Amino acid sequence: MTDRFDIVLRGVRLNHGAGVDFGIRDGRFSAMSSGLGRCDNDIDCDGKLLLPGLHDHHIHLFATAARLQSVDLTQCTHPDAIAAALRAKAAQAGPGEWVRAIGCDERASGIPDRGQIDGWIADRPVRIQDRTGALWMLNSAGLAQLGDGPWPDAVETDPSGVPTGRIWRGDAWLQERIGSRPPSLSALSRELARLGVTAVTDAGANNGPKEAALLGAACRQGDLLQRLTMMGREDLPDSEPYLTGPVKLLYDERDLPDPASIAARIEAARRLGRNVAAHCVTEAELLVYLAVLDMAGGVRPGDRIEHGSMIPQALMQDIARLGLIVVANPGFIARRGDRYLAEMDAGDLPDLQRLASLQASGIPVLIGSDAPYGPVNPWVSIRAAANRQCPSGALLGAEEAIGPWSALQLMTAQGDLAVGAVADCILVDADWVNQLAGDADPDPVAMTIMGRYAHLGPIYSRGR
């Protein structure tokens, strides 16, 4: 036996090459050859592929963790089904506890107000998030928890000034009024590790000092195992447990702000030495972003378009010339593709969740899940990028498909598998590409190793 290595991965393959051994010590790959000496964590990899760990480039950590504790209404297609799901959750909750639900689809019940939700549950506070994450809907008991007005613009009111129960883009204000503590990230982090995710970018537009303290503590305490990059506001502090990402610009086509105010935020980000990243789901939101970047002095390397859900052909040359990065969410095709086909104008479909044409135009592309609004499983997004398949099996924008290996690279963390590199890596089944052809959510990860925890062994190992 030798203590030369913390872990030896024996007989792994790199792409389609011959088997080789990797030695890991002090969080980095320290040797690569055949016949390395044995150690206490000596792992026979049986010819599995060794890949860099995955990076979810756009996720909302606390919202995704909260989803694990919430009623998921995604499959509820009738008001009676929504009511039944809410009442079942209420029966499990303690007296006076909130009933929290997510994924409410307006096709099932319209956009409920306080009265409609009271008809479902009236004796305890209820808050329901719509499928987009932009809207919260509360019953009367929930509104009573918020205290008295005056109400911010996010709170919809009737002609008499009484709240209807609908709160648009009011997450920060709502959390402040409710005073709820964020959920633990431990279960989510371990699920991400099981799926091969070793790095995440939290895309919260409201991330500031409070969120930095919470997420930083989660990193230090081991509740969040992944390497973390945080987007957020201008007052997001730099801190050792995470990397400070772009200033996040969030605005909606339904209520666009004065362009000068957005340009002022970009100028403030430049003074802080930070990039910017804008929520661009619609063409109008994208056009506003391109215009305000010009007003604020232009693009800096590393500026991003988040989602890029609708990108017309006519704008791709400008995006390429500017050097903007597009962070796409192809997982939505796997979850909502049939809805897009049924409800969108046929002429708009070619612009939806582009990938191949962006790359052909020289535009850098990354992939994020947008969980909890998109699928947290990164292999679902990789599969959708490769096959553009909707839940029904119909194809949406087949011409925008990219190969599975190309899709994998768009969700791969920075780094490589060379000696000296940080040992954030995964072992996957050799037939992982074939697994993408099945109907079940892909699950090809056999082992996940994170360099800073390598002295403890794998973070996840199938069957252990």
Side-chain angles (χ1 to χ4, degrees), residues 98 111-114 117 126-130 132-139 142-147 151-157 163-175 177-178 252 254:
W98 280 86
I111 302 179
D113 60 11
R114 62 190 295 173
I117 304 173
V126 177
R127 51 184 169 134
I128 303 171
Q129 191 178 52
D130 81 327
T132 71
L135 171 66
W136 283 101
M137 298 159 282
L138 279 63
N139 66 351
L143 287 169
Q145 298 279 329
L146 305 184
W151 307 107
D153 292 341
V155 178
E156 181 184 273
T157 58
T164 65
R166 300 170 181 145
I167 301 175
W168 298 88
R169 291 288 184 201
D171 294 60
W173 176 86
L174 183 59
Q175 186 178 59
R177 283 296 182 102
I178 293 174
D252 286 313
R254 62 185 292 273

Side-chain angles (χ1 to χ4, degrees), residues 212 216 220 237-244:
R220 287 187 289 270
D238 292 328
S239 181
E240 186 177 337
Y242 59 83
L243 295 176
T244 304

Side-chain angles (χ1 to χ4, degrees), residues 6 19 39 47 69 158 160 195 208 238 264 281 294 302 310 320 358 385 396 436:
D6 296 316
C39 73
Q69 305 171 13
D158 64 20
S160 301
L195 295 166
D238 292 328
V281 170
D294 186 60
M310 296 294 296
L358 296 180
L396 197 166
L436 301 185

Side-chain angles (χ1 to χ4, degrees), residues 263 266-267 270 291-300 303:
I266 296 174
E267 291 167 353
R270 303 307 192 208
V292 297
L293 280 168
D294 186 60
M295 291 171 60
V299 173
R300 301 279 181 91
D303 289 347

